[in-house]
Amino acid sequence: MVTKVMSANQAIAEAVKLANPEVIPVYPITPQTTISEYLAKYVADGDLDSEYIMVESEHSAISASLGASGTGVRVFTATSSQGLALMHEISFAAAGLRLPVVMADANRALSAPLSIWNDQQDSISERDAGWIQIYAEDGQEALDSILMAYRISEDKNVLLPSMVCIDGFILTHTVDPVNIPAKEDVNKFLPKYKPDHAYLDTKKPMSIGTFTDPSYYMDARYDMELAMERSQEIIAKAHTEFSEIFGRDYDFVEKYRSEDADVIIVAMGSICSTIKDVVDELRDAGEKVGLVRVRVFRPFPKTQIYEALKGASKIGVIDKNVCFSIGGVLATEIRSNTGLDVSGFIVGLGGRDIKPSDIKEIMEKTKNPTKQTQWIGLKKEEH
Amino acid sequence: MELPNKEFLAPGHRGCAGCGATIGVRLALKVLGENTVAISATGCVEVITTPYPETSWEIPWMHVAFENASAVASGVEAALKAQGKTDTNVVVFGGDGGTADIGLQSLSGAMEREHNLIYICYDNEAYMNTGIQRSGATPYGASTTTSPHGKESFGENKPKKNMPMIMAAHGVPYVATASISYPEDLMKKVKKAAEIEGPAYIHLQQPCTTGWGYNPAQTIELGRLAVETGSWILYEIEEGEFKVTYKPIQRRMVKEYLDAQKRFKHLTDIEKEKIQSHVDAICTELKI
């Protein structure tokens, strides 16, 4: 166990080294690229014994991942934005084939206009693909979440792929102290992947990815729904065991000074660090405000979110994505799944900076609830 | 060549009577044997061989999507390598659409990266699974549902994309053309493809009874006519060395081949002559 100062991208690469996937197909895209580079270097230096495939597109990165996972080995890939959108078709196949691929997504805006900067539109747009989605707040959580993602995805009660999302540049290219767990501890937490549902073995031929007619398709999709529901329990168990072995606590949602709060802000990812500072400042000034950070977005932790929010009189939900004519996706899902009234705010699209003053503005606006989604940080008031 | 009795593509699949594609797959698998993993691109072969919960594949088989069979195979090959199973054959079956059109990028990538796999394109010269639409491999003059002949059109007006040469330009160590109507030639080529270190590409022409429009009993005959008229040439390129592997004793007229198929029925004599001259030019160059 050692603590080093590193970016979340490097933290993810360190996690991958510890998880030791047999095959790593990747394709560079800003701001994910350095994950691919770190992994290439680990392999080149003999620090990681993996088949590293530098494929010719993200579509092939995820396709090769499915091929390798279907052969029965652990795989890792990483992407961002346009790359994730290009993977869209195969993302659905990964979940449908029940292949426990683990992928990191460096959250970045989708074109057009072309932007390399952060928002969460890319992964949010994959919410129906059947992947478990975890949004990390910092580099440490990024590392830990990769290890937990393997544990969860490869569990026989789940067998769905996982996406660990980290905010582009804000996390991928800034450094923080990160504790790197010992390999022996990781081995305890993460046993070798030994599938008995899908593996290409000439000793026991099986056909993977067959053609189905209407008498089978729907049931296969329902099985995925059941697996996603079951994953809640597996995720909870992973959190508990992770805490026991590594001493760091995680939950579906993180409650930050929200227990007695009148005003609660809900958000995902790195923005939560800014919100925590604002909460501290306002708490010092006597305001009863708090934060609920949604860490696991799929499966959607409806009960945990409801329990965390039900005591508040005013709730504001921050989204770094937009579902046009509807609003932010997290706000919409919280409304429809908890029945609570929440005010929705859209911020930070395409890397628009989010300042503590913006968070304070959101808190003020939350005190006067409206059903109208509010865009914060636009340049012109007349928008 | 001795044929193993064991079948690796079980009967009962949903192929049309007279399906040429499944003949090709069956023969290739006889050569490759049980220590083989097959990957299919979406298409006729994939659909007809795996109507869940049935499968015709007696070897491990995987399908993910249309355009990515080579990428899936790259992952399979890498995983087998990681498992120490370097002696296992990895074979990909993609149709002409899945190979020359939508799958060309992933194929190019896999070949350039020199994955040890055998790619077999079963070429029926159009999108037959979706009902006879033109592909990059549709030959000049063929009428398809998206290159129909009519008052203003004689059908497909572009020449067939030259896939084997595109593969040869990648430096693929073994590239060959084949026909299901010349099983010995085909199987020798599959054997070579399996033995060679690194990637191999075989472009397998296979008549399609519904797409080409002929009596299902004549599939083999149509394949022969293609080769005997010089319309389809059997060759191989081994480590850059080009060699014609079969020369008709007396080349027959292309018209015979065209007239036997509904897809060319609309062509006038002038157009047929044009196709004949094109075939003549190539065959003269290759001394066929």
Side-chain angles (χ1 to χ4, degrees):
Chain A
M1 198 172 77
V2 56
T3 298
K4 285 184 184 170
V5 172
M6 63 178 70
S7 67
N9 272 1
Q10 191 180 351
I12 282 182
E14 289 288 342
V16 173
K17 188 161 70 174
L18 289 165
N20 202 6
E22 279 88 344
V23 179
I24 304 174
V26 278
Y27 188 77
I29 182 169
T30 304
Q32 171 278 121
T33 307
T34 58
I35 298 178
S36 306
E37 290 174 339
Y38 283 120
L39 293 172
K41 185 71 174 134
Y42 297 161
V43 172
D45 289 343
D47 294 332
L48 173 59
D49 182 18
S50 298
E51 292 295 323
Y52 181 92
I53 318 176
M54 182 59 206
V55 289
E56 83 297 334
S57 73
E58 288 91 352
H59 196 281
S60 285
I62 189 71
S63 298
S65 297
L66 266 58
S69 184
T71 308
V73 303
R74 181 174 289 166
V75 300
F76 175 79
T77 189
T79 192
S80 179
S81 179
Q82 307 302 117
L84 184 55
L86 186 59
M87 289 178 173
H88 179 72
E89 179 201 23
I90 309 305
S91 301
F92 277 67
L97 293 175
R98 311 297 297 274
L99 297 174
V101 173
V102 169
M103 171 160 72
D105 178 51
N107 282 119
R108 167 185 150 183
L110 281 169
S111 188
L114 181 62
S115 166
I116 58 165
W117 289 277
N118 167 250
D119 64 36
Q120 296 170 344
Q121 189 73 54
D122 55 353
S123 54
I124 289 291
S125 298
E126 298 300 320
R127 66 190 181 278
D128 299 335
W131 288 57
I132 285 157
Q133 282 198 0
I134 299 168
Y135 289 77
E137 187 184 339
D138 56 28
Q140 184 69 62
E141 190 180 347
L143 185 151
D144 295 345
S145 296
I146 290 285
L147 298 178
M148 285 188 274
Y150 279 112
R151 171 73 187 260
I152 297 157
S153 283
E154 292 171 2
D155 190 291
K156 287 180 175 36
N157 290 300
V158 180
L159 295 173
L160 291 170
S162 285
M163 198 182 295
V164 174
C165 305
I166 51 170
D167 284 316
F169 290 111
I170 302 166
L171 294 182
T172 61
H173 287 66
T174 58
V175 297
D176 254 342
V178 174
N179 177 279
I180 303 167
K183 179 75 178 151
E184 314 83 73
D185 289 339
V186 173
N187 291 347
K188 261 188 276 171
F189 179 71
L190 196 59
K192 193 174 162 59
Y193 175 51
K194 283 186 201 141
D196 53 21
H197 72 301
Y199 54 92
L200 298 169
D201 182 357
T202 55
K203 299 279 183 298
K204 194 192 169 206
M206 65 171 73
S207 293
I208 302 173
T210 62
F211 178 65
T212 55
D213 68 20
S215 50
Y216 293 100
Y217 180 88
M218 197 164 163
D219 305 271
R221 302 305 284 186
Y222 184 61
D223 281 346
M224 292 165 69
E225 168 66 10
L226 294 179
M228 189 59 93
E229 289 299 332
R230 275 198 306 272
S231 73
Q232 302 240 18
E233 197 185 312
I234 308 304
I235 293 169
K237 217 169 100 189
H239 287 152
T240 308
E241 282 188 34
F242 193 90
S243 170
E244 283 165 11
I245 296 174
F246 303 102
R248 284 185 291 276
D249 297 322
Y250 292 102
D251 206 339
F252 291 85
V253 298
E254 180 194 356
K255 289 171 278 193
Y256 186 79
R257 304 183 80 167
S258 65
E259 301 288 354
D260 64 336
D262 294 327
V263 177
I264 296 181
I265 300 299
V266 187
M268 300 198 294
S270 61
I271 190 179
C272 293
S273 296
T274 310
I275 300 171
K276 284 174 184 174
D277 281 349
V278 174
V279 165
D280 289 345
E281 193 189 322
L282 295 180
R283 280 275 177 181
D284 288 348
E287 288 202 49
K288 287 170 86 176
V289 295
L291 163 74
V292 168
R293 178 170 74 93
V294 177
R295 196 180 96 77
V296 178
F297 178 66
R298 285 289 183 275
F300 193 70
K302 341 180 207 321
T303 315
Q304 295 91 331
I305 291 175
Y306 176 76
E307 291 298 324
L309 297 181
K310 66 178 183 190
S313 58
K314 303 287 190 303
I315 302 158
V317 181
I318 296 179
D319 273 282
K320 280 189 183 180
N321 67 80
V322 57
C323 176
F324 294 110
S325 83
I326 298 286
V329 168
L330 183 61
T332 309
E333 296 198 346
I334 290 176
R335 263 186 217 113
S336 64
N337 282 281
T338 65
L340 297 168
D341 284 329
V342 307
S343 299
F345 300 91
I346 289 174
V347 303
L349 300 190
R352 179 64 53 89
D353 198 20
I354 304 152
K355 300 180 288 293
S357 57
D358 296 322
I359 304 298
K360 284 177 194 160
E361 184 187 341
I362 287 169
M363 285 183 172
E364 278 310 307
K365 287 187 162 156
T366 297
K367 290 173 187 167
N368 303 296
T370 166
K371 291 205 185 315
Q372 185 74 37
T373 300
Q374 300 174 76
W375 292 54
I376 304 298
L378 291 173
K379 268 193 292 196
K380 293 177 193 158
E381 281 308 314
E382 61 265 33
H383 264 299
Chain B
M1 187 182 237
E2 211 161 305
L3 276 177
N5 287 327
K6 179 115 176 82
E7 297 290 349
F8 297 100
L9 188 74
H13 59 71
R14 308 298 196 264
C16 305
C19 173
T22 45
I23 296 172
V25 173
R26 174 176 168 252
L27 293 174
L29 293 185
K30 272 184 179 285
V31 178
L32 295 173
E34 64 188 350
N35 193 13
T36 302
V37 175
I39 311 299
S40 282
T42 307
C44 280
V45 165
E46 172 260 328
V47 169
I48 64 179
T49 57
T50 66
Y52 184 84
E54 297 167 47
T55 181
S56 283
W57 299 86
E58 304 277 11
I59 53 168
W61 173 91
M62 187 172 183
H63 155 259
V64 177
F66 198 1
E67 70 281 53
N68 68 350
S70 303
V72 173
S74 300
V76 169
E77 184 249 22
L80 289 170
K81 203 164 148 191
Q83 291 171 333
K85 298 174 182 170
T86 45
D87 61 335
T88 302
N89 298 309
V90 179
V91 62
V92 186
F93 294 101
D96 48 296
T99 304
D101 292 348
I102 198 167
L104 184 55
Q105 176 185 311
S106 74
L107 172 61
S108 173
M111 290 298 178
E112 170 267 318
R113 293 190 300 270
E114 298 183 351
H115 289 281
N116 194 9
L117 50 89
I118 304 155
Y119 192 101
I120 299 179
C121 170
Y122 62 98
D123 181 8
N124 47 34
E125 305 193 321
Y127 290 89
M128 299 316 187
N129 190 41
T130 43
I132 322 167
Q133 292 78 35
R134 63 89 62 188
S135 79
T138 298
Y140 182 85
S143 185
T144 73
T145 58
T146 52
S147 64
H149 67 282
K151 207 167 67 181
E152 302 289 335
S153 167
F154 58 87
E156 176 59 34
N157 63 358
K158 313 278 191 315
K160 186 182 178 75
K161 190 188 274 190
N162 196 339
M163 270 311 298
M165 285 303 171
I166 293 171
M167 288 295 98
H170 279 69
V172 172
Y174 187 75
V175 175
T177 60
S179 162
I180 57 152
S181 302
Y182 295 79
E184 203 161 320
D185 179 77
L186 164 62
M187 291 193 291
K188 268 187 199 159
K189 287 169 176 173
V190 174
K191 191 160 186 287
K192 268 192 188 176
E195 282 164 1
I196 218 143
E197 194 56 43
Y201 178 85
I202 296 175
H203 199 100
L204 173 65
Q205 197 202 38
Q206 50 98 172
C208 167
T209 170
T210 49
W212 293 14
Y214 62 84
N215 180 336
Q218 292 171 333
T219 296
I220 300 300
E221 202 177 318
L222 253 297
R224 277 197 200 119
L225 265 178
V227 173
E228 297 297 331
T229 58
S231 304
W232 185 246
I233 295 162
L234 303 181
Y235 64 82
E236 63 185 6
I237 307 170
E238 204 174 342
E239 299 293 351
E241 199 75 32
F242 182 96
K243 193 178 115 195
V244 173
T245 57
Y246 175 82
K247 285 185 187 180
I249 297 162
Q250 173 88 54
R251 197 150 50 85
R252 287 158 72 174
M253 297 299 285
V254 174
K255 191 173 178 310
E256 267 188 78
Y257 173 58
L258 300 175
D259 288 349
Q261 305 171 58
K262 199 177 155 202
R263 62 177 175 157
F264 295 118
K265 273 273 159 44
H266 60 283
L267 294 180
T268 62
D269 284 345
I270 297 168
E271 281 148 3
K272 287 177 195 169
E273 273 307 312
K274 207 171 154 186
I275 296 171
Q276 179 71 60
S277 322
H278 181 69
V279 167
D280 286 346
I282 294 169
C283 288
T284 306
E285 200 186 318
L286 296 176
K287 301 186 178 67
I288 292 170

